[in-house]
Amino acid sequence: MRVERIYRYPVKGLTAEALEEVALAAGETLPDDRRFALVQGDAPFDPDAPAWLPKRHFACLMANARLALLHTAFDPRSGQLVLRPPEGPPLPGDTRTPQGRAAIAAWLAAWLGPEARGRPRFVEAPGHAFTDARAKCVSIVGLASLHALEAAADAALDPLRFRANFYFSGGVPWAEFGWIGQEIQLGQARLRVLRRIARCAATRVNPETAERDADPPRWLRRHFGHADLGVYAEVLEGGRVSVGDALEVLTSGQ
């Protein structure tokens, strides 16, 4: 099996950024993955005492499909985040200053319009990741499983609907569900597979058009008896992972 794509998502709900390689660290997510979020004004999130909250408290594709129309780029060295709408000038924002974060929040709130609740805040909480999973982990999707869903539903699905960190080829459909509790070698890193990923309404959103033009959760239930695609895995031993690296399931004792 082979790693075909690697992505990080610096802002929860916004653009995927493709990577050729990444350095994983034990017990962490991908560097800068879900580092920022637009917190809805009525959400009980405290950046000084960050705790996991369900996605409904943040701007997210499940509730805010229009986010898919934005193209973003984040430079972790400078802290600059550029927001590009389909039309009009981009917003370059400085994520390292209160003024810069306030400007980003105001711009995104205006973009969401009535979907913005109260006065949203653009936040970062060092050491915290705004992931859907409570534990720090990475997400992995088998392209064979995705292709099985496409064939069953007779529909083409952009892999980015599923917002995974790693996509791999090879193997048989749904084989990754049998890896729960097992360790895998991903490039130079060693991980333990934790659980399957249950899919929500976010996958209905076309990442190019922002239209809700498909229903992967319903199709999964109809054709396969579950609504899961992909798995979460925790990093046990860090290391570099590159596109083209092998993914290997480790046998007991390795």
Side-chain angles (χ1 to χ4, degrees), residues 10-228:
V11 183
K12 185 177 184 69
L14 295 183
T15 308
E17 294 186 353
L19 304 172
E20 287 299 313
E21 62 178 18
V22 65
L24 296 181
E28 297 294 334
T29 62
L30 263 70
D32 301 310
D33 190 49
R34 277 81 170 188
R35 176 173 169 178
F36 305 100
L38 185 70
V39 180
Q40 293 282 14
D42 57 2
F45 183 79
D46 181 357
D48 294 324
W52 182 88
L53 289 174
K55 66 180 70 178
R56 67 177 180 274
H57 293 291
F58 307 95
C60 63
L61 288 172
M62 181 181 72
N64 315 115
R66 198 162 182 256
L67 291 175
L69 294 175
L70 299 177
H71 292 274
T72 62
F74 175 63
D75 181 354
R77 292 168 298 181
S78 68
Q80 288 291 309
L81 175 70
V82 179
L83 302 166
R84 298 183 183 276
E87 299 178 356
L91 173 76
D94 187 349
T95 64
R96 296 183 178 180
T97 68
Q99 297 84 357
R101 292 191 295 272
I104 294 170
W107 195 95
L108 287 172
W111 179 259
L112 291 179
E115 293 179 354
R117 304 195 304 270
R119 187 175 181 181
R121 297 168 291 150
F122 185 80
V123 300
E124 173 187 13
H128 181 77
F130 296 95
T131 55
D132 290 344
R134 290 177 180 269
K136 285 188 176 181
C137 54
V138 303
S139 54
I140 304 172
V141 163
L143 292 172
S145 302
L146 174 57
H147 297 331
L149 173 60
E150 290 179 307
D154 192 23
L157 295 169
D158 188 329
L160 285 178
R161 285 181 187 265
F162 302 93
R163 298 179 68 79
N165 296 127
F166 298 99
Y167 293 85
F168 71 91
S169 61
V172 298
W174 318 114
E176 55 271 30
F177 291 171
W179 305 345
I180 308 300
Q182 297 189 52
E183 295 180 10
I184 61 174
Q185 189 76 30
L186 192 64
Q188 298 175 353
R190 184 168 60 89
L191 301 85
R192 178 185 293 114
V193 179
L194 299 176
R195 62 181 176 86
R196 293 152 59 150
I197 303 175
R199 293 302 173 175
C200 71
T203 60
R204 297 181 59 209
V205 179
N206 187 312
E208 292 294 326
T209 67
E211 296 294 324
R212 297 185 188 273
D213 59 4
D215 199 344
R218 181 169 61 87
W219 296 343
L220 283 163
R221 287 190 294 268
R222 174 190 296 171
H223 297 291
F224 302 102
H226 58 75
D228 306 333

